[in-house]
Amino acid sequence: MLIQSAITRILSGSRDLCLSDPGTTPEKRHQTKRGGGDSSPSSPASHASRMSGSSPLSSAMVTPPSFSSSSFSEMGCSDIGRCQDGREIRFSFLANKGFQINRPSGFVLVGARSPQLGATTLLAVVDRSYLPDEEGRASQGFVGDCVGCGRRFRFFTEFSHHINLKLATQPKKQKHLKYYIETTSNGELIRGKPLGWKVLPETRRRSRASSFLDILPGSPSVFGQHLNVPCLQISLPTQLPQSTVYSSFGLPPPSKKICWEGLDPGEIPSPAIVPEPIKHSTPTDIALPIIMVCQKDIPVLSTTCKMLPVCLLLQGTFAHDGGLERPTVYNMQSPHLPTLLAIHYFASLLPDTPIRREDADAFIDSAARELTSGLAADMALRGDPYSQSQISSLARLVSSCSNGKLEVTFCSNLTEGIDAAYNNIKAKKLADDTRIPVFTFVIQNEKFWQPEFVVIVSGPGHLCSLVWSVGDELAEDDDLSDEEEEMEEEIDVVQESRKDIKATCSSPLSVSFGNADELLLMLKQFRSGLGGKFQSPFKCAHQVMKEENIVSLKPELSVIVDTIILCSLRNVTAEQIQVGEQLFSTFRAIGNKSSNLDLSQFSKINVVFITAPFYSSYVQTVERVLHSELLQALSIENTPDFATVEQYVFKGDSDQSDKFEAFLDKAEQLKNTLFIVVHDDAHIQGSDGTGQEWVNNKRVLAAQNILVVQVTATPYCLQSIASMIPVDVPLKNEVYWNPIPEQYCGLEFYKNSRDDVSQSPLIRADATFDRMVVKKMISDQQSKPVSCRVNILTRHYSAAMVCVCSVNFAESFTTTETMQVVHELIETPLKNPSGHGVMVVLRISSEKLGRLAHERISLVRDSLGLTYRFAVILDTGRDSYDIDDYFLWRLRHCQEGRTDGWKPCRPEHLANLPCLVIRTGAIRAGDTFPCSMRYYDMRAFYTVTQSRTILEQEIGNLYGYSAPMEALFIRPRCLVPSQVLPYFEDSDLPGRSMNMIPHLNCKWLQRQRTLLKPSSTPSEQSRYYREFLLSLSDMEALDTTGTTRSHPRRILLSGPKQIGKTGAVFQFLGLVQQFLKQQQEVQVLSVRDPRDTSEEAVSEFRTWPTYTSIKSQSATTEQTDFSGVTRGDIVNVQFTQLTAHSSYHFCDTCNNYRTGSGQRNAFVYKIQNEELMFFIPDDYLSKFYISVDSQGYLQSLILSDTTEDGSINSPIFTPSRGRHDIALLNLQHTLEGVSHTHVVVVTRTDMDLYITKWTNHIIMVLPESADNKGFGVYCHWIKRFAEQNYRHEQSRKLERPMWPFVAIMEDNCATWTMTKCSQDTPSVRSEKGVSLYQVLCHIEKTPDVTKYAAIYTSHWGINFKHSTCFDREFTSSLQLVNVELTKGIDYNQERYMNDGLEFYKLINFTGLTTCRFNIFQVQLRFLKSGGENFVLPEKVLPLSVYNPSTNSIGV
């Protein structure tokens, strides 16, 4: 409540307010009204505790969990990070775990470190009297407690041994106790101010005796011992001053050792000498301050200040309206409030705390919620409570309490104010004044309603952290001027002019190591020592070889196939199938509403792919489509080649806009084709790619036959408030792929690797490299940060290559991390005769700087005789790789199917090739990396923290599945800038990255918002972004239309990188193809009746049979196997408008028929001692008679009178088993929408499935006794119900004649045809499609129809001919049974098949008459599951379509 209290007191006229600040001394803090407590010197803990209302460190100690391990011996635990009692004492472990550490009065928390612990910091509780005061003085001795076990120690030597500091020298508290540990308001531990030990003058010996060859005279270095090169006795000339060697690198002489962290046991070399770490003792070390823009507009700078760097890291953060025209907490209260909040934010920053946008957002949101709770209502009534004088008073009050850390300047013109503030800082530097403020606020507060301000940062610690962001904002431009290119070369050779650089470039190594003659001479001696030969490319009989021998030497062939390729193209994983089905379900949900997507109109599918605007991702997509045979499976192309597939893949840049327009023209012409646009890497927007513009094209949005599927690993910019992806509850158009952690190595896997003390972390920072960059930036005001990083990184790799080749001096000019990378790159090919090696990726944003790095590293490699050991490749993403002819030959030789004209274009093409790939571009996406990639070096790529999208895209290149043989699979390692490491060290890692700005093309909609929690699911994140995020492209859409809009035919698939999303999309496309095929074609049986051998067609065509003629015909009563009637071939028949459908059919015509408008009602129908269950929807209750007197029991199904006409009189019963999804139970189209009664008959085991799938159908459930019986039990109970129902209806209607027929129809009757003969030529017949309604109406109008005991229809066959239009034969597909005439004749419920045939025989045996209408043929759909399972097709004909209208088969 500190901010609220300050504002309240100023409003009330109080003048006794004093704000505590990290810079306030203990004595001053005790004098304040809120002072006191046991806070450490200059500690913000007391300030944080007062804000929360209590001191977090004053609670009782909660002991961290103990550790039991085999390493815990009688002498105690020796593990790093634990005390000898086995308790956790690591700062990284305890910082966010919620442990409350006991701290006695007068004791403070400090952090202890030693070189042997690397980056690990240990916690300790130390008596404050033995720590330095403000002047660096401290009492001799030591008293401290272990935070793990609580033991107290009186000697630092004993204490250092207990906490396992692993010291190799005399323990000293001044050397190993580094800084205070503070506690935030929410109880988290953070690093505080360094302990101000007084540094005494000391003479240190500086020697190069620790170099590898000095330790092992006459032998190669530890890193070069496996190179098998001749031992070269090379040393620096004695007359070469040591300062000259280091000045050639632009670095100071070395003075201390570093810890070689991360190397496996046995690979740790002797300590290398590195430059002195940078110390910011005085402000004059930093040449230029930095201007931070915190509001919307960039200020106009005077000529004097134009050279000052401008940082846009916090631009818009402290703007009054948040940069948008939407009400926020600011414009509801006061326009001055953002300025006050900015002052408080910068005043609260610790010296070593980096400035982050997400931290500033969190600070503002917390303050806004605090103010809203107390002052919002009051300010709303009183208006703006601040005057200009009050604002000045508040600002100066905070400044006076900051102990000189923050200075506030008011001016009438911002440009003049910046100029005056800069001149003041510059004058203090020239006068060697140590009272230079860390932050200078320049506030213009006279002419404008809202004050404008900027912050001038001059503090050394904050300048070092901001120098990265400044460089990335202003120097990441590929279009360097001629002067800038000259500057890049001048950075490498500081002592030489541009003319001298050109003169010395004739020597290959001069570009990397300067122009020192002695140094060049030494390197030439190394090259001459090889005698014109080269080091062997891989394991072979010779160590050095002539060039002609190397070229003729072939590596052993082995299968060079990347695991990721096999996973995504050849083998389909269960997760890919599952995600593909989720996409298909979303597609079906869109098609439920024909106004969104009318699926019934499409007969074919077509697909196009939009890739990222990079040639590598374009080729990757083309190859995946080609190798997966997707176009063949979708019936788009027969035998496509690479050029053919390119017609369906668009690279997302403006060069292919005409190609996309041609696609739109094609889509407008082919209305019956569904075009699916797969937009890969859909997060790329704006100038980075035109794919987003294409899918948002007005023609795409208006086209009713185009479906857009957007695929990305970082979907955040697509989930803004004006997202084109429709969202309902639930988010039906978004599909998320959450991988299985045990199978996929993603973000959590790499984060956990930093907590695993048993192995070196997979993500590491290189502090030595960062210090070198800062030192260079300080010493050279002209150099740009991005150029400085790239050039120093290039030097490090060059020096590491020289060092691995046993040149002993070079180890001082590189770092441990670089040495390890280069060592594995050079050594791995020597371990196998196939030449397999590792891939190392250097990430550089500028293409021109990448080309410089490529040229220099290649020159060093060639000069060391490593030309054929590994390839140096420049990957710009614009074209195929420019690779050396030798390595190109090796790739063509070792990889199957590579022709002479083939060149590698993407990272997977380089699988197992030893190579160093320099990957350029500010944004790169879409590429999949091979398993041979071992290192991903981002030390020179500092834009990684600019947005969540960039961070996850770059780190995501490391992700992938675990290999089947886990022991042989090594996850790639990543070297990151130090500012990236907190995202992987903090326990709230997901929360920290989630609250970054999601995309550089986005803005937060308002400041007052709840931050995302670490446990937020993808759907929760989507809802959050849709509420608070606005992308610039969406803003343009809002400006033109005025309202938000969405595209209903759009699906978003998001999932981690390299997880197999492309394969899942392929699965989805296959399901859509099958669905459309099922909609338009049906597999039916072409029947051949073995009993009908007539070769002649019917000679006489009649419409109805004559009862007397039919009765005179003989019926087949002998025991004949009639199962052959259903045996035949399978052919594909086109769907018609009169076809019966399964549950997969959706259209507006039958939507209400399928879903209904009411609820389902359950009734019981009794037949003797058995009970039938009926589930009847509200729409069909009128078709039943329900007696109230019988307590809701179903009495009867209402039958029509024989005199009624114009409708279907026969109720239709359809038995179905195990086919709830594929049974053809949708009769709406084939009955032409006419009112009818359709009852689906199922057993109790299938009841739930059918009730769920067919919500608006009448379901009749058989008794439990029918569950384990044959298929005849269905007809048995249908017949018994029909007979009893007939009697009830007759008694209810007073013996009026009732319609006696019920129709029993199988659940695979798809389509009906009718045969007609020409009157002129009766032998010529034709077929036409008819509906089931027409068939039933025609049969029911038959003369003397009630005299027939049963009526059947014929089966359909391609060449099936009947000799008569009517006969007395039997078929089972559709049976109209006369329940009045067949009273007492029953179906055999024990029959598993041919139950209808047995019933037919009983009818004819009793003398009753049956009739089969051969003029009607039913086409039976071939269903692979359920039913009687008696259909056994002999063969499947080639894929063809039968057209009933032409009586022909078309291929």
Side-chain angles (χ1 to χ4, degrees):
M1 306 295 291
L2 183 62
I3 300 174
Q4 182 173 336
S5 301
I7 296 175
T8 304
R9 293 196 178 198
I10 272 293
L11 293 178
S12 61
S14 175
R15 298 179 180 273
D16 60 351
L17 176 65
C18 182
L19 303 180
S20 134
D21 185 78
T24 308
T25 63
E27 292 76 15
K28 291 182 178 179
R29 194 167 298 164
H30 282 294
Q31 295 173 4
T32 62
K33 293 184 179 182
R34 299 191 176 199
D38 296 323
S39 299
S40 62
S42 65
S43 167
S46 59
H47 166 74
S49 64
R50 284 194 298 272
M51 292 185 67
S52 61
S54 63
S55 175
L57 295 178
S58 62
S59 304
M61 180 182 72
V62 179
T63 305
S66 60
F67 177 72
S68 177
S69 173
S70 59
S71 63
F72 194 89
S73 62
E74 294 181 358
M75 298 299 294
C77 177
S78 60
D79 291 345
I80 294 177
R82 301 179 187 273
C83 69
Q84 291 196 351
D85 287 347
R87 303 284 184 171
E88 270 284 356
I89 57 176
R90 286 179 300 164
F91 170 64
S92 60
F93 180 85
L94 300 176
N96 302 297
K97 300 295 183 181
F99 295 119
Q100 295 182 349
I101 302 173
N102 184 32
R103 186 195 60 176
S105 177
F107 284 67
V108 294
L109 274 174
V110 297
R113 300 186 65 175
S114 75
Q116 283 69 26
L117 299 184
T120 302
T121 299
L122 307 180
L123 290 183
V125 179
V126 181
D127 190 339
R128 186 168 51 190
S129 61
Y130 296 99
L131 297 176
D133 57 13
E134 289 185 332
E135 298 180 3
R137 296 172 300 185
S139 301
Q140 294 184 354
F142 174 83
V143 176
D145 295 347
C146 174
V147 299
C149 62
R151 292 176 56 187
R152 176 159 295 182
F153 298 86
R154 301 288 180 179
F155 301 96
F156 185 77
T157 301
E158 182 183 5
F159 179 73
S160 64
H161 177 70
H162 175 77
I163 64 175
N164 291 313
L165 269 180
K166 310 288 186 182
L167 299 178
T169 59
Q170 179 68 29
K172 293 184 179 180
K173 64 178 183 179
Q174 296 89 341
K175 185 176 181 180
H176 303 294
L177 297 182
K178 296 296 186 179
Y179 40 77
Y180 291 103
I181 301 297
E182 312 296 353
T183 306
T184 63
S185 58
N186 57 0
E188 294 183 353
L189 300 179
I190 61 173
R191 176 175 171 176
K193 180 180 179 181
L195 292 171
W197 299 107
K198 188 174 183 180
V199 181
L200 300 176
E202 182 180 0
T203 304
R204 296 184 178 181
R205 181 181 302 175
R206 297 182 178 180
S207 173
R208 290 181 289 108
S210 59
S211 60
F212 295 164
L213 293 184
D214 289 339
I215 296 175
L216 301 174
S219 63
S221 69
V222 176
F223 274 102
Q225 59 187 347
H226 299 297
L227 291 177
N228 298 320
V229 297
C231 181
L232 304 178
Q233 301 294 333
I234 300 176
S235 60
L236 289 174
T238 56
Q239 69 273 19
L240 180 62
Q242 183 184 6
S243 58
T244 304
V245 178
Y246 287 92
S247 63
S248 64
F249 283 84
L251 299 173
S255 60
K256 67 179 277 185
K257 300 177 181 179
I258 64 171
C259 175
W260 292 76
E261 177 195 6
L263 298 182
D264 296 331
E267 293 185 345
I268 301 179
S270 301
I273 299 176
V274 298
E276 178 74 19
I278 296 170
K279 298 178 181 178
H280 307 289
S281 57
T282 62
T284 56
D285 290 337
I286 300 298
L288 293 176
I290 294 177
I291 298 176
M292 289 206 71
V293 178
C294 300
Q295 296 179 316
K296 292 187 294 185
D297 300 326
I298 300 177
V300 178
L301 301 180
S302 65
T303 306
T304 307
C305 298
K306 277 189 176 181
M307 79 288 295
L308 296 182
V310 178
C311 178
L312 307 180
L313 181 65
L314 299 182
Q315 184 181 17
T317 304
F318 293 94
H320 170 59
D321 57 358
L324 299 173
E325 297 179 358
R326 179 166 172 173
T328 65
V329 67
Y330 298 150
N331 54 26
M332 287 190 299
Q333 298 179 3
S334 169
H336 303 85
L337 188 56
T339 306
L340 295 178
L341 290 178
I343 294 174
H344 277 279
Y345 169 71
F346 283 96
S348 65
L349 289 175
L350 296 175
D352 293 335
T353 303
I355 301 174
R356 298 191 184 99
R357 187 184 182 97
E358 58 268 22
D359 294 340
D361 287 341
F363 177 88
I364 294 171
D365 294 334
S366 176
R369 286 192 296 271
E370 177 184 331
L371 290 170
T372 303
S373 63
L375 295 179
D378 183 58
M379 289 184 177
L381 295 176
R382 298 169 53 187
D384 188 358
Y386 302 114
S387 64
Q388 292 183 5
S389 60
Q390 289 174 329
I391 294 297
S392 303
S393 300
L394 279 172
R396 291 192 174 98
L397 179 61
V398 177
S399 174
S400 63
C401 297
S402 66
N403 198 25
K405 172 184 176 181
L406 188 143
E407 185 174 292
V408 179
T409 301
F410 292 91
C411 61
S412 59
N413 184 280
L414 200 59
T415 303
E416 296 176 356
I418 296 173
D419 191 50
Y422 171 60
N423 290 332
N424 181 39
I425 295 173
K426 186 167 58 174
K428 288 185 177 182
K429 286 186 177 181
L430 294 176
D432 201 17
D433 190 346
T434 59
R435 295 175 298 173
I436 299 177
V438 178
F439 304 108
T440 302
F441 267 76
V442 181
I443 304 176
Q444 176 182 342
N445 195 29
E446 292 187 0
K447 296 184 179 180
F448 296 94
W449 176 70
Q450 176 189 352
E452 297 184 10
F453 71 93
V454 296
V455 182
I456 301 178
V457 183
S458 53
H462 296 295
L463 281 178
C464 291
S465 64
L466 287 180
V467 76
W468 315 131
S469 59
V470 173
D472 292 323
E473 291 164 358
L474 303 181
E476 295 288 356
D477 188 6
D478 285 342
D479 298 327
L480 301 178
S481 63
D482 293 339
E483 293 79 11
E484 289 171 328
E485 290 187 23
E486 292 177 9
M487 187 183 304
E488 302 304 331
E489 297 193 33
E490 290 173 0
I491 290 176
D492 281 296
V493 190
V494 180
Q495 300 176 347
E496 286 291 311
S497 63
R498 183 171 178 79
K499 179 178 179 180
D500 294 330
I501 292 174
K502 293 183 178 180
T504 56
C505 278
S506 58
S507 176
L509 294 179
S510 62
V511 180
S512 294
F513 292 98
N515 69 328
D517 294 337
E518 297 86 353
L519 185 62
L520 295 178
L521 177 62
M522 180 204 62
L523 294 171
K524 289 180 180 179
Q525 289 177 359
F526 178 88
R527 187 72 185 94
S528 62
L530 294 174
K533 297 181 180 179
F534 295 87
Q535 299 188 36
S536 59
F538 43 81
K539 184 178 181 181
C540 56
H542 304 282
Q543 291 78 38
V544 292
M545 307 172 64
K546 292 184 178 179
E547 183 175 14
E548 54 269 21
N549 295 333
I550 292 179
V551 174
S552 61
L553 184 64
K554 292 185 178 181
E556 292 185 3
L557 291 177
S558 62
V559 181
I560 304 182
V561 181
D562 189 6
T563 305
I564 297 178
I565 297 179
L566 292 176
C567 182
S568 62
L569 297 182
R570 301 299 182 187
N571 301 330
V572 180
T573 65
E575 284 189 286
Q576 286 177 318
I577 295 176
Q578 181 180 1
V579 175
E581 291 175 347
Q582 293 180 18
L583 289 170
F584 180 69
S585 299
T586 305
F587 163 77
R588 292 287 306 278
I590 296 174
N592 282 341
K593 191 175 182 180
S594 61
S595 59
N596 292 340
L597 191 65
D598 187 3
L599 300 179
S600 61
Q601 67 174 329
F602 302 123
S603 58
K604 293 191 302 182
I605 182 178
N606 206 322
V607 62
V608 295
F609 295 85
I610 300 177
T611 71
F614 310 113
Y615 185 71
S616 55
S617 58
Y618 170 77
V619 173
Q620 176 177 272
T621 303
V622 173
E623 290 185 347
R624 287 179 172 178
V625 174
L626 179 63
H627 296 160
S628 65
E629 300 180 351
L630 177 68
L631 299 182
Q632 297 95 308
L634 300 181
S635 302
I636 298 176
E637 297 285 349
N638 293 328
T639 56
D641 55 8
F642 189 92
T644 305
V645 176
E646 283 188 295
Q647 301 175 11
Y648 300 90
V649 181
F650 304 153
K651 181 159 63 76
D653 56 28
S654 57
D655 295 340
Q656 298 202 353
S657 295
D658 294 340
K659 183 178 177 181
F660 188 77
E661 290 293 329
F663 155 73
L664 294 179
D665 295 338
K666 180 180 179 181
E668 290 179 353
Q669 296 174 1
L670 304 177
K671 298 292 187 181
N672 294 331
T673 300
L674 175 62
F675 290 87
I676 298 181
V677 178
V678 180
H679 184 199
D680 201 3
D681 291 299
H683 62 275
I684 298 180
Q685 296 184 353
S687 59
D688 300 321
T690 58
Q692 190 71 15
E693 298 178 7
W694 289 347
V695 297
N696 291 338
N697 186 292
K698 292 182 179 180
R699 296 174 66 184
V700 173
L701 301 180
Q704 295 294 320
N705 61 336
I706 294 181
L707 175 75
V708 178
V709 179
Q710 294 188 294
V711 184
T712 177
T714 53
Y716 319 118
C717 62
L718 305 175
Q719 296 170 327
S720 62
I721 63 168
S723 173
M724 298 297 292
I725 301 167
V727 55
D728 295 329
V729 180
L731 301 174
K732 65 178 183 180
N733 282 47
E734 295 186 8
V735 177
Y736 313 101
W737 187 338
N738 294 319
I740 301 174
E742 293 76 13
Q743 300 178 2
Y744 182 77
C745 300
L747 188 65
E748 285 300 316
F749 175 82
Y750 278 89
K751 186 250 180 189
N752 293 336
S753 72
R754 295 203 54 82
D755 299 330
D756 189 356
V757 297
S758 64
Q759 64 174 358
S760 59
L762 297 179
I763 292 186
R764 292 178 284 186
D766 191 347
T768 306
F769 174 83
D770 292 335
R771 289 195 296 267
M772 290 182 178
V773 174
V774 175
K775 184 68 176 179
K776 183 64 178 177
M777 292 296 299
I778 293 173
S779 61
D780 188 356
Q781 302 179 20
Q782 298 288 326
S783 62
K784 293 182 178 180
V786 62
S787 307
C788 184
R789 301 167 205 152
V790 174
N791 281 279
I792 291 179
L793 186 67
T794 303
R795 289 181 191 154
H796 283 196
Y797 273 89
S798 301
M801 285 189 288
V802 174
C803 182
V804 172
C805 291
S806 307
V807 179
N808 59 329
F809 81 94
E811 63 196 34
S812 302
F813 306 119
T814 186
T815 64
T816 306
E817 305 293 349
T818 312
M819 286 286 290
Q820 181 179 358
V821 173
V822 174
H823 171 254
E824 189 167 355
L825 173 66
I826 295 177
E827 254 196 15
T828 304
L830 297 178
K831 298 179 181 179
N832 57 83
S834 61
H836 287 187
V838 301
M839 172 189 289
V840 177
V841 179
L842 269 61
R843 190 68 176 90
I844 298 175
S845 57
S846 170
E847 180 178 337
K848 290 193 175 182
L849 291 179
R851 293 186 183 278
L852 282 173
H854 173 265
E855 177 184 356
R856 296 167 184 175
I857 294 177
S858 299
L859 289 174
V860 175
R861 177 202 60 175
D862 296 342
S863 299
L864 296 174
L866 299 171
T867 305
Y868 300 102
R869 179 67 57 81
F870 65 93
V872 181
I873 301 172
L874 179 65
D875 176 13
T876 63
R878 296 183 179 181
D879 205 343
S880 57
Y881 299 149
D882 186 11
I883 188 172
D884 297 337
D885 292 339
Y886 169 74
F887 293 105
L888 180 60
W889 168 81
R890 277 179 56 173
L891 288 174
R892 292 172 180 173
H893 171 73
C894 298
Q895 298 186 13
E896 183 180 357
R898 303 306 189 190
T899 61
D900 292 340
W902 175 85
K903 295 186 68 175
C905 305
R906 57 190 184 93
E908 283 181 318
H909 289 164
L910 306 175
N912 294 325
L913 181 74
C915 58
L916 188 148
V917 179
I918 301 174
R919 185 175 172 87
T920 66
I923 296 178
R924 292 294 301 272
D927 292 332
T928 299
F929 286 83
C931 292
S932 59
M933 183 182 75
R934 197 59 44 83
Y935 293 97
Y936 196 81
D937 193 340
M938 292 196 298
R939 285 177 291 177
F941 188 74
Y942 282 82
T943 57
V944 68
T945 56
Q946 285 189 350
S947 71
R948 181 182 180 184
T949 295
I950 297 179
L951 175 65
E952 295 184 2
Q953 279 289 328
E954 294 297 330
I955 301 297
N957 290 327
L958 311 173
Y959 300 168
Y961 284 98
S962 300
M965 300 181 64
E966 194 168 330
L968 301 179
F969 186 70
I970 303 176
R971 296 307 312 174
R973 299 184 178 188
C974 187
L975 300 177
V976 298
S978 297
Q979 62 184 20
V980 180
L981 211 56
Y983 295 96
F984 296 90
E985 286 184 334
D986 298 345
S987 61
D988 63 336
L989 165 68
R992 179 182 290 273
S993 62
M994 284 178 183
N995 290 288
M996 297 173 64
I997 188 69
H999 194 277
L1000 294 179
N1001 199 37
C1002 297
K1003 289 185 178 181
W1004 291 119
L1005 183 64
Q1006 60 182 11
R1007 297 262 63 85
Q1008 190 179 8
R1009 53 187 171 84
T1010 304
L1011 298 181
L1012 275 171
K1013 298 180 180 179
S1015 59
S1016 300
T1017 64
S1019 60
E1020 291 172 343
Q1021 295 180 46
S1022 177
R1023 292 188 181 95
Y1024 181 87
Y1025 289 140
R1026 288 174 181 272
E1027 183 177 359
F1028 297 114
L1029 190 66
L1030 184 68
S1031 69
L1032 300 182
S1033 59
D1034 293 337
M1035 186 181 297
E1036 296 175 359
L1038 288 175
D1039 292 340
T1040 56
T1041 62
T1043 57
T1044 59
R1045 54 176 179 163
S1046 61
H1047 184 207
R1049 294 170 296 280
R1050 186 168 301 204
I1051 303 174
L1052 173 64
L1053 170 62
S1054 61
K1057 289 201 66 176
Q1058 303 190 144
I1059 196 174
K1061 295 186 292 294
T1062 302
V1065 171
F1066 288 175
Q1067 288 295 309
F1068 161 69
L1069 295 174
L1071 292 174
V1072 174
Q1073 164 72 0
Q1074 294 177 13
F1075 171 76
L1076 295 182
K1077 186 177 179 181
Q1078 289 177 358
Q1079 273 203 148
Q1080 302 300 325
E1081 298 179 3
V1082 58
Q1083 288 184 327
V1084 300
L1085 296 171
S1086 177
V1087 177
R1088 297 191 307 274
D1089 191 344
R1091 297 172 295 114
D1092 193 342
T1093 58
S1094 175
E1095 296 294 333
E1096 296 181 0
V1098 60
S1099 59
E1100 181 182 0
F1101 179 82
R1102 290 180 297 168
T1103 304
W1104 282 290
T1106 303
Y1107 176 73
T1108 55
S1109 63
I1110 295 298
K1111 184 177 177 61
S1112 63
Q1113 296 181 13
S1114 60
T1116 303
T1117 57
E1118 66 272 9
Q1119 194 70 25
T1120 306
D1121 182 12
F1122 282 82
S1123 62
V1125 173
T1126 60
R1127 187 179 298 273
D1129 301 325
I1130 297 176
V1131 296
N1132 290 338
V1133 175
Q1134 286 182 340
F1135 269 118
T1136 68
Q1137 297 289 336
L1138 307 175
T1139 303
H1141 295 282
S1142 66
S1143 64
Y1144 294 108
H1145 174 75
F1146 294 89
C1147 71
D1148 288 347
T1149 304
C1150 60
N1151 182 57
N1152 188 63
Y1153 170 82
R1154 296 182 68 256
T1155 60
S1157 57
Q1159 62 181 2
R1160 187 187 299 275
N1161 307 278
F1163 298 97
V1164 175
Y1165 186 88
K1166 287 190 174 182
I1167 301 179
Q1168 296 179 357
N1169 296 328
E1170 300 283 359
E1171 290 183 350
L1172 301 177
M1173 295 179 62
F1174 277 82
F1175 294 89
I1176 306 172
D1178 287 344
D1179 296 345
Y1180 298 103
L1181 283 177
S1182 60
K1183 296 183 178 294
F1184 292 85
Y1185 176 70
I1186 302 170
S1187 174
V1188 179
D1189 298 337
S1190 59
Q1191 299 180 353
Y1193 279 92
L1194 185 67
Q1195 293 297 308
S1196 63
L1197 170 64
I1198 299 175
L1199 300 177
S1200 60
D1201 300 338
T1202 55
T1203 58
E1204 295 181 9
D1205 196 7
S1207 62
I1208 301 174
N1209 297 320
S1210 306
I1212 304 171
F1213 290 84
T1214 303
S1216 187
R1217 172 188 288 173
R1219 294 173 172 174
H1220 61 280
D1221 53 344
I1222 61 175
L1224 306 184
L1225 303 180
N1226 185 344
L1227 307 182
Q1228 177 71 6
H1229 295 283
T1230 192
L1231 290 177
E1232 301 184 21
V1234 175
S1235 177
H1236 63 280
T1237 302
H1238 181 208
V1239 182
V1240 180
V1241 184
V1242 300
T1243 60
R1244 290 182 185 268
T1245 56
D1246 290 336
M1247 175 180 66
D1248 293 337
L1249 295 174
Y1250 281 85
I1251 289 175
T1252 303
K1253 184 64 69 173
W1254 301 95
T1255 58
N1256 200 41
H1257 275 53
I1258 303 171
I1259 308 294
M1260 183 177 102
V1261 185
L1262 303 183
E1264 291 184 3
S1265 59
D1267 288 348
N1268 299 321
K1269 294 187 178 181
F1271 205 77
V1273 73
Y1274 290 86
C1275 294
H1276 168 80
W1277 282 104
I1278 293 173
K1279 179 67 165 46
R1280 290 189 62 181
F1281 168 78
E1283 286 184 358
Q1284 182 168 306
N1285 184 74
Y1286 185 78
R1287 292 195 301 270
H1288 286 172
E1289 279 293 284
Q1290 279 190 327
S1291 63
R1292 191 175 65 85
K1293 293 188 176 183
L1294 302 176
E1295 300 296 332
R1296 283 188 298 175
M1298 296 289 101
W1299 180 254
F1301 286 96
V1302 294
I1304 303 176
M1305 185 176 68
E1306 295 181 351
D1307 63 353
N1308 63 337
C1309 295
T1311 311
W1312 302 83
T1313 61
M1314 181 177 182
T1315 301
K1316 282 192 174 183
C1317 297
S1318 173
Q1319 302 227 349
D1320 299 333
T1321 56
S1323 60
V1324 178
R1325 65 173 189 168
S1326 62
E1327 291 181 358
K1328 73 169 186 177
V1330 294
S1331 65
L1332 176 60
Y1333 168 73
Q1334 293 172 317
V1335 172
L1336 292 177
C1337 286
H1338 186 92
I1339 293 176
E1340 290 177 356
K1341 291 178 182 180
T1342 302
D1344 301 323
V1345 65
T1346 56
K1347 296 181 180 181
Y1348 296 99
I1351 299 176
Y1352 308 102
T1353 58
S1354 178
H1355 284 146
W1356 176 87
I1358 297 178
N1359 298 312
F1360 194 3
K1361 299 179 181 180
H1362 294 284
S1363 58
T1364 60
C1365 292
F1366 309 94
D1367 56 29
R1368 295 187 61 177
E1369 300 298 335
F1370 163 79
T1371 50
S1372 62
S1373 300
L1374 177 61
Q1375 312 172 47
L1376 271 73
V1377 179
N1378 191 326
V1379 297
E1380 184 179 20
L1381 295 181
T1382 60
K1383 188 185 307 180
I1385 306 175
D1386 239 339
Y1387 287 86
N1388 187 350
Q1389 61 177 329
E1390 304 297 335
R1391 278 275 190 180
Y1392 277 86
M1393 60 188 304
N1394 292 333
D1395 56 288
L1397 174 62
E1398 184 175 300
F1399 181 75
Y1400 162 80
K1401 290 182 179 180
L1402 292 175
I1403 292 176
N1404 286 278
F1405 182 77
T1406 58
L1408 297 175
T1409 303
T1410 62
C1411 179
R1412 183 175 69 175
F1413 281 59
N1414 294 326
I1415 61 174
F1416 294 117
Q1417 302 89 33
V1418 58
Q1419 294 176 333
L1420 299 177
R1421 184 171 183 176
F1422 174 65
L1423 302 180
K1424 297 180 180 180
S1425 61
E1428 286 188 84
N1429 294 323
F1430 70 96
V1431 178
L1432 302 174
E1434 294 178 352
K1435 65 179 179 178
V1436 178
L1437 297 182
L1439 185 62
S1440 58
V1441 178
Y1442 175 77
N1443 192 332
S1445 62
T1446 60
N1447 192 21
S1448 62
I1449 297 179
V1451 178

